[in-house]
Structure formats: C-alpha cells, structure tokens
C-alpha cells in the first residue's frame, strides 16, 4: 500500500504567502499563454512567417500545456509537487528567454512549445500544494482567489503585450514580453524555494504511473489537427491538410481506445459514462475554443481591419478583462444557488456581447471606444462561465474522482484553446476578402455559443465546488 503524500506543516500566516506564490505562477502561465494574441502581427512583421507564425504562437503553447497537464500532475504526486513545481518554473523562465532571443519564426515556435511543456509541469502542482497546506475549512476562501485572478490574466496578457510593444523597453520591442520573465519567473522561483513545503511523493504507488502512450497518441492527434488547419489556411486546401486532419482523427481514435485499456488512463472511462460530465466536457471544448478564437479575432480585427496600433488594441481588450473579473467575483457567490442556470446566463451574455461586437465592427468604427461596451458585455459573459462550467460539470461525480475530473477538464480547456485559436483564425485568414474575415469568424463564435446553450440542460443541476475535494 502506498503512503499518502505528506507536506511539511505550514504556519497559518505562511499559508497565504504560499498561495501568493501559486497564484503568481498561474498568472505567469496565463499571461504568456495569451500574450501573443495581440503581439503576433508585430512578431510576424519582424521575423516573417506570416499567418502561419501568427497561428502557431498561441496554439503551440496551448498544445504542449494541454497534452502534458495530466501526466505532469501524476509526476508531481509520484516524485513530489515542490520538486516538479521548481523544475517547471525554472524551465519556464529559461524557455521564456529562448523566446525573447529567437532569431527566426521556427525557433520561436519551438521555444513556445517548450515553454508550454514546462508550464504543464508547474500548474497542476500548485493546486495540489494549496490543498495540502490549507485546512479544509479554509480551502473555499483560498480557491476563491483563482477565478478572478486567472480570468483577468487570460486577457491581461494581450493588454500587457500592447503596452510593452509601445514602450519599446531598451529597444527590445516585442521581445520584452518574454524577457521580463527573467525578473517575474526568477522572483517566483526564489520565493518558491523559500516558502513551498517539502513533500516526498509516492514513488511506489502503481496508480501514480503515467500513460506515456496515451499522451503520445493525443499529442500526435493534436499536432496533426493543428497542422492541417494552419497549413490549409496558409497554403490552400490541397491533399496535405486533408491528410493531416484525417490522420489526426485516426490517432484520436487510437487515443480513445487506449483510454479504455490503459492501467492509468489520462481520462477515467467511468467519468465518460456520467452523462452530466460528458455533456460538460463537450460544452467546455466548444465554449473555450470559441472564446479563445474570439479573443484572437478581436486582436486581429483591431490591428488588421481597423488599423489600430498595438497599444490601442490593448485598450480595447481592457473592458473584457474588467468584465471577467467582475463576473467571476459575483458568480462565486451565486453558483451554489443558480447552478447550471448561471452558465446559461453567462452564455447568453457572451452571445449578446459577440453579436453587438459584430454589429459595431461591421460599421468600421474610427476609434476604439465604440468597441468598449460590447467588449465589456462579452467579458461579463465569459467571467460568468469561467470556473462555473467546471464546477457544475462535476456536480454528479463521485467526490473521490474530483481530482481526476478536474485535471481532465483543465487539460481539455487548454487543448480547446489551441484548437479554437487555430480554427477561428483559419476562418479569418481563409476568407476571400479582408472585409468579411472578422464577420465570418465572429459568426462562427456565435454559432458555437448557441450550441453551448443547447447543452446546458444536459449538465447537472447543481455544482460540486472543487475545493471541497
């Protein structure tokens, strides 16, 4: 029998410092996950690579993060969360430097994938550490800090990118976005070495084994899907992109078979037999793919269609971040009472904001302020769904499976971010005329959001708060 993971005792006041370190790492991850949404056109103009580079910058990072999240979480359980966290944040910082000094499009994409891989080592350890150091009656308060922080960070990356490009610190231009991680990542690493409690892991536990074959099959499937979408939009829909998409479907099928036979599958088959969880999984894929694509298209709309500068485009995204923070805080108090109805409210609000954005964009506004109201409404809708989707999806599962379910949903969110950004930008760049590019992309987001509305009634009625596990 394996021995449970035990962390060194942590004093009450120090727990909140530990939480601050974990939040800092999560913010760092999300900032870098989204920072290229706005900066991609500037980077492509400098390094070349065109729309292919624009699409791979975000998709490559999210791909590595999503494929490796669940295996990395089990590695932390097996060898110790503190150790894996430090390896993750250290490697993430070094990969950030590699991004900042990259001299070609290919080198930058490779560095982004490595950055995402180290992010996957770092992120799941943080949630486990918080559960280990906080007593059960304080977990709710600790985890309530994540939704607004992470929601703001998901849009804060592009906003930060715009201002850093405009500031042109030390003549670095877009490279400053990555090189500031020398300070941010270094400070987080040093704080983690001093504050995070030691834990020994469970190296002898068979349930901690990592399904490398399953992760490999999923990774190949996702790469094939992304390459097919991106190559098709960049070079035309010949035989290569269609073969890649077909190959991606085949490898994904093999991945599904593997999940039924593996000793330690990435997604427990019993979870997929739960209708509410499966419906939430599908809704999460569609929703997060849609909003990931929406944020990318908003950046492209403002910079390519409306000819705004990066800093002006950043200002246009601030209302989205504000809406996410406000709704995340408010919905933390409402989810226990409203359950799945809160998700429907959030989806309808997102739908209204996106439709309003489509109407305003079609009139080609001359200043960014016309986009502020629809951007704010869209952010409120997103914030009402972020986190809420996960908590409601897990409403009917066995509490003993909460950890596995939460890890699977987080990984699926990242993979959806990669696919959504690639798919929606494929539609954007594949439009025959520049004027119709944003319109078609926004219409796809609207259709996807409507599909999500139809799935809400299949979800559990009430939420299971993840901090209760």
């Amino acid at each position: 029998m394996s021995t449970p993971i035990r962390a060194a005792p942590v004093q009450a006041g120090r727990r909140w410092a530990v939480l601050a370190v974990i939040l800092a790492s999560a913010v760092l991850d999300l900032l870098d996950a989204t920072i290229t949404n706005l900066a991609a056109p500037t980077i492509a103009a400098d390094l070349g690579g065109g729309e292919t580079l624009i699409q791979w910058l975000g998709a490559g990072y999210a791909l590595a993060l999503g494929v490796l999240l669940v295996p990395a979480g089990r590695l932390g359980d097996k060898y110790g969360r503190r150790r894996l966290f430090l390896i993750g944040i250290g490697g993430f910082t070094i990969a950030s430097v590699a991004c900042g000094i990259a001299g070609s499009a290919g080198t930058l994409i490779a560095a982004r994938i490595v950055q995402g891989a180290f992010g996957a080592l770092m992120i799941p350890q943080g949630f486990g550490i918080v559960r280990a150091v906080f007593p059960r009656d304080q977990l709710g308060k600790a985890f309530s800090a994540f939704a607004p922080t992470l929601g703001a960070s998901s849009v804060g990356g592009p906003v930060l990118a715009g201002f850093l490009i405009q500031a042109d610190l030390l003549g670095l231009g877009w490279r400053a976005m990555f090189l500031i991680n020398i300070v941010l990542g270094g400070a987080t690493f040093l704080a983690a070495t001093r504050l995070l409690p030691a834990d020994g892991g469970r190296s002898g536990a068979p349930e901690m084994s990592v399904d490398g074959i399953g992760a490999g099959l999923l990774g190949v499937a996702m790469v094939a899907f992304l390459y097919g979408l991106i190559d098709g939009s960049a070079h035309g829909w010949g035989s290569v992109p269609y073969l890649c998409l077909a190959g991606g479907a085949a490898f994904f099928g093999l991945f599904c078979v593997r999940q039924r036979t593996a000793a330690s599958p990435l997604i427990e088959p019993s979870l997929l037999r739960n209708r509410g969880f499966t419906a939430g999984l599908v809704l999460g894929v569609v929703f997060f793919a849609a909003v990931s694509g929406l944020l990318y298209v908003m950046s492209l709309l403002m910079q390519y269609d409306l000819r705004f500068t990066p800093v002006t485009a950043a200002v246009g995204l601030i209302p989205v971040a504000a809406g996410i923070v406000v709704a995340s805080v408010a919905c933390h108090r409402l989810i226990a009472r409203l359950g799945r109805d809160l998700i429907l409210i959030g989806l309808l609000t997102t739908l209204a904001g996106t439709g309003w954005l489509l109407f305003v964009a079609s009139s080609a506004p001359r200043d960014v302020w016309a986009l502020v109201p629809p951007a704010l409404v869209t952010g409120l809708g997103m914030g009402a769904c972020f986190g809420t989707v996960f908590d409601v999806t897990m409403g009917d599962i066995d509490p003993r499976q909460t950890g596995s379910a939460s890890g699977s949903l987080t990984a699926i969110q990242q993979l959806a971010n990669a696919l959504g950004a690639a798919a929606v930008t494929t539609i954007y760049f594949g439009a025959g005329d520049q004027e119709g590019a944003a319109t078609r992309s926004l219409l796809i987001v609207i259709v996807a959001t409507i599909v999500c509305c139809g799935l809400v009634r299949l979800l559990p009625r009430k939420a299971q708060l993840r901090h209760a596990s």
Side-chain angles (χ1 to χ4, degrees), residues 58-298:
Y61 182 97
L63 169 64
L65 189 65
V67 170
L68 296 176
L69 265 176
V70 174
R74 291 182 183 169
L75 287 173
D77 290 340
K78 189 172 184 178
Y79 297 111
R81 297 179 184 127
R82 182 181 187 275
R83 178 186 302 174
L84 268 292
F85 183 92
L86 291 174
I87 293 172
I89 187 64
F92 184 92
T93 303
I94 295 171
S96 298
V97 175
C99 291
I101 64 175
S104 67
T107 303
L108 179 56
I109 291 171
R112 285 286 285 169
I113 292 172
V114 173
Q115 194 185 30
F118 278 108
L121 282 181
M122 173 178 64
I123 294 304
Q125 319 313 329
F127 291 106
I129 290 169
V130 171
R131 286 193 175 97
V133 301
F134 278 88
R136 189 178 182 86
D137 61 346
Q138 291 185 5
L139 277 176
K141 186 176 181 181
F143 275 101
S144 67
F146 278 88
T149 302
L150 300 186
S153 300
S154 65
V155 183
V159 173
L160 177 63
F163 284 100
L164 285 177
I165 292 172
Q166 180 73 18
D168 193 21
L169 298 176
L170 302 176
L172 293 170
W174 60 268
R175 298 178 187 274
M177 300 183 315
F178 299 108
L179 295 178
I180 61 170
N181 285 348
I182 297 174
V183 177
L184 301 179
T188 304
F189 180 88
L190 292 176
T193 59
R194 292 178 59 86
L195 294 171
L196 298 189
D199 59 277
R202 291 185 286 178
S203 58
E207 67 270 20
M208 293 297 106
S209 61
V210 177
D211 182 19
I213 295 176
L217 290 172
L218 180 59
V220 172
M222 291 297 299
V223 169
F225 279 132
L226 291 173
Y227 188 87
L229 287 170
I230 294 171
D231 186 71
S233 67
H235 303 112
W237 288 91
S239 58
V240 172
Y242 284 117
L243 285 173
C244 286
L245 294 176
F251 275 97
F252 185 74
L254 292 174
F255 166 75
C256 293
V257 172
R258 174 69 183 178
Q259 297 312 286
R260 297 176 62 88
T261 59
S264 299
L266 300 181
I267 300 178
E268 294 290 343
S270 59
L271 290 173
L272 299 178
R273 290 193 288 270
N274 183 305
R275 189 194 74 170
F277 181 84
T278 303
L281 199 66
V282 174
L283 188 152
V285 168
V286 178
F287 174 74
F288 287 110
V291 297
S292 173
L294 173 60
L295 292 173
Y296 228 130
V297 167
M298 286 181 68

Side-chain angles (χ1 to χ4, degrees), residues 1 16 22 31 42 93 95 101 165 180 206 210 233 287 299 311 314 320 354-355 374 399 415 424 467:
M1 181 178 295
W16 300 103
I22 302 305
L31 287 178
T42 301
T93 303
I101 64 175
I165 292 172
I180 61 170
V210 177
S233 67
F287 174 74
S299 171
V311 71
V320 181
T354 307
L415 294 176
V424 176
H467 55 71

Side-chain angles (χ1 to χ4, degrees), residues 264-355:
S264 299
L266 300 181
I267 300 178
E268 294 290 343
S270 59
L271 290 173
L272 299 178
R273 290 193 288 270
N274 183 305
R275 189 194 74 170
F277 181 84
T278 303
L281 199 66
V282 174
L283 188 152
V285 168
V286 178
F287 174 74
F288 287 110
V291 297
S292 173
L294 173 60
L295 292 173
Y296 228 130
V297 167
M298 286 181 68
S299 171
L300 295 174
L301 166 68
M302 288 187 281
Q303 294 184 78
Y304 280 167
D305 296 54
L306 303 180
R307 306 296 181 183
F308 293 162
T309 64
V311 71
T312 302
V315 170
L317 290 174
I318 289 176
V320 181
I324 289 173
V325 173
V326 170
S328 296
V329 173
C331 290
H332 177 71
R333 302 175 181 275
L334 295 174
I335 185 172
R337 185 173 64 189
L338 296 179
R340 69 186 184 189
D341 291 336
L342 185 58
I343 297 176
L344 183 60
I345 293 170
L347 291 171
L348 292 174
T349 305
T350 303
L351 190 62
T354 307

